[in-house]
């Protein structure tokens, strides 16, 4: 371990007095460098900022300011760093101004959270009216400003600032808004108020932002539930819902679990971002999901017979299915059944979309994919698609394909030749057929595709059922 800074900082020898700064987290590995704002910061950036601020506060104008690092591998060993007078006084002179700005920002945060709570508890009906289109955005903001003027003792310019912050909170997604807007992020996982994870271009990492407190996070959960007309009582502690309207570029699919079913005391929130302007096959070729010859092969086989696309989470299954269905001719009537609104159309004139409807309250009805699939098969369609098979709807998909209906679906499976087994597993939930009978019926799915890391990894053609060996036989095409 060595210090990377070269200007205005010197290492103190081992014989110097070793000390730690009061208030710093002992488990953090960090060191502060004065070479540049970003150089020499180890560990979480926000923790280092807090440590430096506390150090300046505690030590005032003392020139022998130390910021230390505890080596996690060698408990009790410290690596002190000392500011010289120039660096230290420059920071000391800015300290009071920095603290004043932090107090002002803290007051704005308090007022914003209070205002959000007012509208969640006292004026919830206005949020619902905005969601339903009964109240326009302009009318809603006028009501908000009136409430601020009547209940918050603020100067006119501060009222305008608070209204702007509240507008971003209500019509965006609070602290998550920058993540929702970022096109390179596909998934957001809120593990706790101070732990937010993202998946950017297939790689998981820390989001670099956090809620200020558990209270603020719980308030945010209440807000998105109200905004999306979702009940999160103890009888509805796990909810899945979709926001198709708030963002011009993305559909947001939410999965929310409340503390009553969690091991820890905070809600879990997972958000999948689905682009509204999804890529076509030519664009997927450009993105190296497959080469041109493979794309032409898939388009040809997709039109001629039933297709299963399988893979793991975020492997590109839905992206490929979205693009393939856009290649179907206009004279085909297509029905899409899905749990969330991930599959949409940009061009096709005869494509219908149905989605499942979970019960929003204890007494409301619900429609799952099985019910939708049963109804959909009576709607005079040429091509039937299920966004993702997860349960008993598999039996109705299989029955449709086995009777000659061209079908397509995605399913989680570890390889192309294992996808039929997964469909049969789900079909057996509601079936009186034996496993072998269902596997024999699976030969109607002529094309099996396996996706991994947004790449087409395998393409199998199903050759039929081998009665002697009692299994399906395949030819590998890719």
């Amino acid at each position: 371990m060595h210090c990377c800074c070269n200007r205005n900082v010197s290492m103190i020898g081992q014989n110097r007095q070793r000390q730690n700064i009061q208030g710093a987290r002992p488990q953090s590995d960090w060191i502060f460098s004065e070479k540049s704002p970003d150089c020499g910061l180890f560990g979480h950036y926000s923790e280092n900022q807090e440590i430096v601020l506390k150090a300046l506060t505690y030590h005032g104008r003392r020139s022998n300011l130390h910021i230390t690092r505890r080596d996690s591998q060698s408990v009790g060993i410290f690596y002190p760093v000392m500011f010289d007078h120039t660096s230290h006084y420059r920071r000391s002179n800015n300290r009071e101004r920095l603290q004043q700005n932090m107090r002002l920002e803290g007051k704005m945060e308090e007022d914003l959270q209070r205002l959000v709570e007012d509208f969640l508890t006292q004026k919830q009906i206005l949020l619902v009216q905005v969601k339903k289109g009964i109240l326009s955005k302009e009318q809603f903001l006028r009501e908000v400003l009136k409430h601020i003027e009547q209940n918050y003792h603020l100067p006119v310019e501060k009222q305008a600032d608070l209204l702007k912050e509240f507008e971003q909170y209500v019509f965006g997604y609070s602290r998550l808004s920058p993540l929702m807007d970022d096109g390179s992020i596909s998934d957001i996982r809120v593990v706790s108020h101070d732990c937010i994870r993202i998946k950017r271009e297939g790689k998981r990492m820390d989001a670099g932002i956090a809620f200020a407190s558990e209270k603020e996070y719980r308030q945010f959960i209440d807000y998105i539930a109200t905004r999306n007309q979702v009940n999160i009582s103890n009888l509805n502690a796990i909810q899945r819902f979709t926001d198709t309207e708030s963002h011009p570029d993305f559909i947001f699919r939410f999965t929310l679990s409340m503390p009553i079913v969690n091991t820890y005391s905070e809600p879990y929130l997972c958000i999948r971002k689905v682009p509204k302007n999804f890529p076509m096959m030519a664009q997927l070729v450009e993105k190296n999901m497959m080469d041109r010859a493979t794309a032409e092969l898939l388009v040809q086989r997709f039109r001629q017979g039933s297709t299963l696309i399988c893979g793991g989470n975020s492997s590109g299954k839905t992206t490929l299915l979205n693009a393939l269905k856009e290649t179907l001719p206009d004279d085909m009537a297509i029905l899409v059944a899905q749990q969330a609104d991930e599959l949409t159309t940009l061009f096709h004139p005869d494509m219908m979309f149905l989605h499942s409807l979970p019960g929003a309250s204890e007494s409301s009805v619900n429609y799952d994919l099985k019910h939708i699939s049963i109804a959909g098969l009576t709607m005079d369609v040429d091509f039937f698609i299920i966004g993702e098979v997860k349960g008993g709807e598999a039996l109705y998909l299989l029955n449709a394909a086995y009777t000659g209906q061209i079908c397509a679906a995605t399913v989680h499976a570890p390889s192309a030749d294992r996808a039929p087994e997964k469909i049969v597993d789900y079909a057996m939930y509601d079936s009186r057929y034996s496993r072998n009978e269902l596997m024999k019926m699976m030969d109607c799915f002529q094309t099996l595709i396996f996706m991994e890391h947004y790449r087409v990894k395998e393409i199998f053609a199903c050759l039929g059922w081998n009665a002697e060996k009692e299994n399906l036989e395949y030819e590998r095409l890719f």
Side-chain angles (χ1 to χ4, degrees):
M1 169 72 194
H2 64 280
C3 181
C4 68
C5 52
N6 299 315
R7 182 172 65 86
N8 295 333
V9 178
S10 64
M11 293 296 292
I12 299 177
Q14 292 294 328
N15 58 343
R16 290 283 243 170
Q17 180 181 2
R18 291 171 177 155
Q19 58 179 332
N20 201 2
I21 295 174
Q22 180 182 359
R25 299 182 182 179
Q27 71 273 22
S28 298
D29 288 349
W30 48 265
I31 206 167
F32 182 76
S33 164
E34 188 57 21
K35 183 177 180 181
S36 68
D38 295 322
C39 179
L41 286 167
F42 296 88
H44 293 291
Y45 183 72
S46 59
E47 289 181 8
N48 283 282
Q49 285 184 316
E50 180 183 358
I51 289 166
V52 173
L53 179 62
K54 286 180 179 179
L56 291 170
T57 302
Y58 294 141
H59 288 260
R61 290 181 173 272
R62 289 171 55 189
S63 62
N64 61 340
L65 172 64
H66 298 273
I67 296 179
T68 62
R69 173 189 184 273
R70 182 189 297 272
D71 188 339
S72 61
Q73 301 298 321
S74 306
V75 178
I77 297 178
F78 297 91
Y79 298 85
V81 175
M82 183 177 74
F83 291 98
D84 73 355
H85 292 258
T86 303
S87 168
H88 175 60
Y89 284 144
R90 184 174 65 250
R91 289 186 175 274
S92 295
N93 290 335
N94 291 333
R95 175 168 50 89
E96 292 181 4
R97 184 181 303 171
L98 177 61
Q99 290 177 328
Q100 182 180 6
N101 289 339
M102 290 179 66
R103 285 194 295 270
L104 292 174
E105 291 176 1
K107 180 64 166 61
M108 175 65 75
E109 282 288 333
E110 290 176 7
D111 288 339
L112 176 61
Q113 295 308 314
R114 177 185 161 196
L115 186 58
V116 171
E117 188 169 359
D118 288 347
F119 274 78
L120 285 174
T121 57
Q122 304 171 27
K123 297 179 177 291
Q124 191 180 72
I125 186 64
L126 295 179
L127 291 171
V128 175
Q129 288 176 342
V130 171
K131 174 69 176 179
K132 293 182 176 180
I134 300 172
L135 197 67
S136 70
K137 178 179 178 180
E138 292 73 20
Q139 291 172 321
F140 175 74
L141 292 176
R142 283 197 293 270
E143 291 293 328
V144 176
L145 182 58
K146 187 186 301 183
H147 182 80
I148 293 173
E149 291 171 344
Q150 293 174 352
N151 298 278
Y152 293 73
H153 303 293
L154 296 171
V156 174
E157 63 273 13
K158 294 299 181 184
Q159 291 179 6
D161 290 342
L162 181 57
L163 179 64
K164 184 177 180 180
E165 291 289 328
F166 185 74
E167 179 183 359
Q168 181 179 358
Y169 191 107
V170 171
F171 294 99
Y173 274 98
S174 180
R175 297 184 187 273
L176 300 186
S177 292
L179 309 181
M180 305 294 241
D181 294 337
D182 191 331
S184 67
I185 295 174
S186 61
D187 296 86
I188 304 167
R189 286 167 53 89
V190 185
V191 181
S192 63
H193 76 276
D194 58 354
C195 181
I196 302 175
R197 306 284 295 173
I198 59 173
K199 183 182 284 186
R200 174 178 275 123
E201 297 177 348
K203 296 181 179 179
R204 297 193 187 276
M205 60 188 69
D206 186 82
I209 62 174
F211 290 94
S213 64
E214 183 175 346
K215 179 181 177 182
E216 183 194 352
Y217 176 41
R218 291 297 297 265
Q219 194 174 55
F220 172 72
I221 292 295
D222 291 339
Y223 162 67
I224 63 170
T226 300
R227 172 174 172 169
N228 291 282
Q229 302 176 58
V230 172
N231 182 296
I232 51 173
S233 68
N234 287 347
L235 294 178
N236 294 279
I238 300 177
Q239 289 283 16
R240 300 177 184 88
F241 52 96
T242 304
D243 178 0
T244 62
E245 302 172 358
S246 67
H247 202 282
D249 301 323
F250 297 101
I251 296 168
F252 300 128
R253 186 183 74 186
F254 296 86
T255 302
L256 171 65
S257 66
M258 298 302 291
I260 192 172
V261 295
N262 297 346
T263 299
Y264 297 102
S265 61
E266 295 191 43
Y268 294 141
L269 178 64
C270 299
I271 306 170
R272 166 64 59 83
K273 295 167 55 182
V274 181
K276 290 182 177 179
N277 294 319
F278 53 85
M280 299 291 100
M281 291 298 289
Q283 293 170 291
L284 295 182
V285 170
E286 293 174 1
K287 292 176 181 288
N288 295 319
M289 179 178 278
M290 70 204 92
D291 59 30
R292 185 175 183 83
T294 302
E296 292 174 352
L297 172 67
L298 291 180
V299 169
Q300 178 186 9
R301 295 189 65 86
F302 191 76
R303 294 183 177 188
Q304 294 175 346
S306 295
T307 301
L308 273 183
I309 304 174
C310 70
N313 286 322
S314 302
S315 58
K317 303 184 299 295
T318 301
T319 301
L320 179 59
L321 180 56
N322 237 343
L324 282 170
K325 68 174 179 40
E326 293 298 287
T327 67
L328 296 174
D330 290 355
D331 61 355
M332 293 188 82
I334 303 156
L335 176 70
V336 178
Q338 54 191 335
Q339 187 174 64
D341 295 325
E342 294 185 315
L343 297 173
T344 57
T345 187
L346 299 177
F347 309 111
H348 203 283
D350 197 352
M351 196 174 292
M352 295 182 177
F353 297 85
L354 301 178
H355 61 231
S356 60
L357 180 66
S361 66
E362 287 83 352
S363 60
S364 62
V365 297
N366 70 86
Y367 296 94
D368 59 21
L369 279 179
K370 182 175 73 172
H371 293 109
I372 291 174
S373 300
I374 294 171
L377 293 174
T378 66
M379 295 174 66
D380 184 29
V381 297
D382 302 312
F383 204 113
F384 179 51
I385 296 172
I386 293 184
E388 184 174 345
V389 178
K390 295 181 176 180
E393 67 275 2
L395 179 62
Y396 303 95
L397 173 74
L398 182 51
N399 277 329
Y402 195 64
T403 55
Q405 179 81 62
I406 301 179
C407 299
T410 73
V411 67
H412 282 232
S415 62
D417 57 335
R418 298 288 296 277
E421 296 178 17
K422 196 62 182 177
I423 294 293
V424 167
D425 287 341
Y426 288 132
M428 291 188 72
Y429 290 173
D430 291 332
S431 175
R432 295 181 180 177
Y433 292 109
S434 69
R435 185 174 185 83
N436 271 2
E437 288 173 325
L438 291 171
M439 284 297 295
K440 182 179 178 180
M441 293 168 64
M442 282 300 304
D443 68 357
C444 58
F445 281 90
Q446 299 176 12
T447 306
L448 311 174
I449 306 166
F450 175 65
M451 302 291 298
E452 188 176 47
H453 303 310
Y454 276 77
R455 298 289 300 273
V456 175
K457 290 292 186 180
E458 297 175 348
I459 304 174
F460 282 17
C462 183
L463 302 179
W465 176 257
N466 186 317
E468 183 179 345
K469 296 181 179 180
E470 295 187 340
N471 61 16
L472 290 169
E473 294 187 337
Y474 307 99
E475 176 188 0
R476 182 162 186 160
L477 305 179
F478 176 81

